[in-house]
Amino acid sequence: MASAAEQLASNLNFAAFAKAEDLKKRIWFTIGALLVYRLGTYIPLPGINPDAFAQAFSSQSKGVLGMFNMFAGGAVQRMAIFALGIMPYISASIIMQLMTSVIPSLEALKKEGEQGRKIINQYTRYGTVLLALIQAYGISIGLEGGNGIVNDPGMFFRISTVVTLVGGTMFLMWLGEQITARGIGNGISLIIFSGIVAGLPRAISGTLELGRTGALSTGLILAIIVLAIIVIALIVFFERAQRRLLIQYPKRQVGNRMFQGDTSHLPLKLNTSGVIPPIFASSLLLLPATVAGFSQATNLPAWASTILASLGHGQPLYMLFYASMIVFFAFFYTAIVFNPKDTADQLKKHSGFIPGYRPGERTADYIDYVLTRITVVGAIYLVLVCLLPEFLISATGVPFYLGGTSLLIVVSVTLDTVAQIQGHLIAHQYEGLIKKSKLRGGKRSR
């Protein structure tokens, strides 16, 4: 069986891809859906002055708005109908995950299987609408407070802005679900991925232009390229890394026959928390600078201005808080998404056990011990990946577009999508082998 799987994996080539009609349809559907998303990022909100908003945005581009603009594919900078992006849905999903660990009724729903997950997903959609409504109304108020941004301020503008932005977020949520069901990869992740990658050509051309004018040396540009390759290789290695715990199942007797016990593995990812810690940490650190910019930092007290200056990009206090928050959220979110006690109970329910540890509480303690140790390594990896671009920016002043968070998203989504494509190709080749064996069997019977 293993040799057959290896043979199939080695035969994954363009010829196999050309014969996989279902896979090609899924890829074309995904590309079409992402094109629709990209078109929506260029349709501005009705009733605003794009030039006045672009001027106001330029003064806030280094705050949290700049990060949201990168995730939204430039829609925030253009104040497009997709300006909220998919972030309200992600926030609602994280909140629901936290609530399922705190509220017993939601925790019971989570354990009910597919039906429970459908109900939780519906609650997540309701939460998305609520968060989008709050954010959209805040944006409409903020736009009206700008100098000459809104052509005709008033209740009608606020209502139209809220309806447009909330509708854009709900459409993106639906589009992401369609990509997941009828396309390739996770739809929500691919939407964020396409938004980040969309700004990459402009960033590359801007860096090359700085090199042409002499603002950046050729050696520094080459060093940036080498650093990006090293960081990407580091992300690929650690995102695939996992600790496998040996699981054994006892021997069982069926009639008069005794069957040998099976063995399997419990995989524990090195980075269980994914990209959530850097997103949370960067959002919280950029928030004070954004609030200060909106409230005109010149009117702030001296102590507040000093703190804000210390939390600027490249400052030691910023680096320290950034690293500390990443470590904290890595452990916090891992504890939310992975419960060793539930895993131990499931193993006990199916008569599985870890050699050397009694089923139940001892097994849960051992899983928690291993998970804590690998989370330490995963948190250190996240800190290194996220702080390397920050050190580069502070030391050289290079406009490094792909920071640690965006690199994590891009590489992780790419790995997941490639794995799904390979899975479809292997399934297609298995189907072809089964059909050939049936045809041969039919001919022999004749």
Side-chain angles (χ1 to χ4, degrees):
M1 188 69 180
S3 60
E6 292 174 0
Q7 184 179 2
L8 282 175
S10 64
N11 290 334
L12 292 179
N13 49 34
F14 288 105
F17 176 78
K19 296 177 183 178
E21 295 296 332
D22 179 66
L23 177 59
K24 287 192 289 185
K25 289 179 181 178
R26 286 179 172 271
I27 292 176
W28 281 116
F29 179 84
T30 303
I31 294 174
L34 294 179
L35 285 176
V36 171
Y37 160 64
R38 290 302 304 155
L39 288 174
T41 61
Y42 286 90
I43 303 175
L45 280 176
I48 67 169
N49 185 342
D51 296 332
F53 178 78
Q55 186 177 358
F57 177 83
S58 62
S59 63
Q60 301 295 328
S61 59
K62 293 184 179 180
V64 71
L65 290 182
M67 187 185 69
F68 287 157
N69 181 59
M70 180 182 65
F71 289 152
V76 177
Q77 183 179 5
R78 294 181 284 271
M79 193 43 63
I81 59 175
F82 291 158
L84 279 181
I86 204 69
M87 295 305 289
Y89 176 78
I90 295 175
S91 301
S93 301
I94 294 171
I95 292 172
M96 282 303 302
Q97 285 181 340
L98 295 175
M99 292 177 67
T100 52
S101 302
V102 176
I103 302 175
S105 58
L106 291 177
E107 188 176 3
L109 270 178
K110 185 180 179 181
K111 296 178 180 179
E112 287 184 5
E114 185 64 27
Q115 188 62 31
R117 282 194 295 270
K118 286 182 180 179
I119 297 175
I120 292 176
N121 289 338
Q122 194 62 29
Y123 289 159
T124 304
R125 296 187 184 100
Y126 295 149
T128 302
V129 175
L130 180 61
L131 290 176
L133 282 170
I134 297 172
Q135 294 179 22
Y137 185 75
I139 288 174
S140 66
I141 298 296
L143 290 174
E144 285 186 340
N147 186 16
I149 295 178
V150 180
N151 298 327
D152 188 15
M155 187 55 65
F156 179 77
F157 170 76
R158 296 179 188 178
I159 293 175
S160 64
T161 299
V162 169
V163 171
T164 303
L165 291 178
V166 173
T169 295
M170 300 310 295
F171 176 78
L172 287 182
M173 183 180 68
W174 174 83
L175 191 66
E177 292 176 351
Q178 294 302 308
I179 293 174
T180 303
R182 302 171 59 185
I184 288 291
N186 183 283
I188 303 299
S189 300
L190 281 172
I191 288 175
I192 300 176
F193 168 86
S194 62
I196 295 173
V197 173
L200 194 56
R202 182 184 299 177
I204 294 174
S205 63
T207 304
L208 294 178
E209 181 64 21
L210 290 175
R212 188 185 67 83
T213 57
L216 293 178
S217 64
T218 305
L220 183 57
I221 294 177
L222 291 176
I224 293 171
I225 296 173
V226 171
L227 178 64
I229 294 173
I230 292 174
V231 172
I232 291 172
L234 190 70
I235 293 172
V236 171
F237 175 79
F238 278 96
E239 288 300 316
R240 287 187 171 184
Q242 56 183 222
R243 170 72 186 275
R244 294 185 175 184
L245 301 181
L246 179 65
I247 305 296
Q248 288 188 348
Y249 296 91
K251 298 179 181 180
R252 67 184 192 278
Q253 184 173 358
V254 179
N256 294 326
R257 298 185 61 183
M258 180 68 71
F259 290 89
Q260 184 68 28
D262 296 329
T263 60
S264 64
H265 292 89
L266 174 65
L268 300 177
K269 285 193 65 177
L270 191 67
N271 180 28
T272 307
S273 57
V275 299
I276 298 300
I279 290 177
F280 275 23
S282 55
S283 299
L284 290 175
L285 280 175
L286 290 173
L287 193 58
T290 304
V291 173
F294 278 122
S295 60
Q296 297 180 349
T298 54
N299 298 328
L300 290 176
W303 62 268
S305 300
T306 304
I307 293 176
L308 288 173
S310 302
L311 290 176
H313 273 291
Q315 298 298 323
L317 188 62
Y318 174 87
M319 300 289 192
L320 178 62
F321 272 105
Y322 194 28
S324 302
M325 287 184 179
I326 288 175
V327 173
F328 169 76
F329 284 119
F331 279 93
F332 178 76
Y333 196 71
T334 298
I336 293 298
V337 299
F338 191 94
N339 191 333
K341 187 176 184 304
D342 290 344
T343 305
D345 290 342
Q346 288 295 323
L347 288 175
K348 186 176 181 180
K349 181 179 178 181
H350 294 89
S351 302
F353 64 94
I354 298 176
Y357 297 90
R358 294 182 60 184
E361 186 176 351
R362 289 290 303 278
T363 299
D365 291 340
Y366 176 70
I367 294 175
D368 182 64
Y369 168 73
V370 174
L371 188 64
T372 302
R373 292 179 65 187
I374 64 175
T375 303
V376 170
V377 180
I380 294 173
Y381 142 71
L382 288 176
V383 169
L384 289 176
V385 168
C386 293
L387 287 188
L388 273 176
E390 296 295 336
F391 281 121
L392 179 65
I393 293 170
S394 61
T396 63
V398 176
F400 197 67
Y401 176 75
L402 282 182
T405 306
S406 51
L407 266 177
L408 279 172
I409 294 173
V410 169
V411 177
S412 300
V413 173
T414 302
L415 290 174
D416 179 64
T417 305
V418 170
Q420 289 205 25
I421 291 175
Q422 290 179 342
H424 279 280
L425 286 175
I426 291 175
H428 175 75
Q429 290 199 347
Y430 265 124
E431 290 176 0
L433 289 175
I434 292 172
K435 289 179 181 178
K436 287 181 181 179
S437 63
K438 287 182 178 180
L439 288 174
R440 290 173 182 172
K443 290 180 180 179
R444 289 175 182 175
S445 62
R446 290 177 185 175

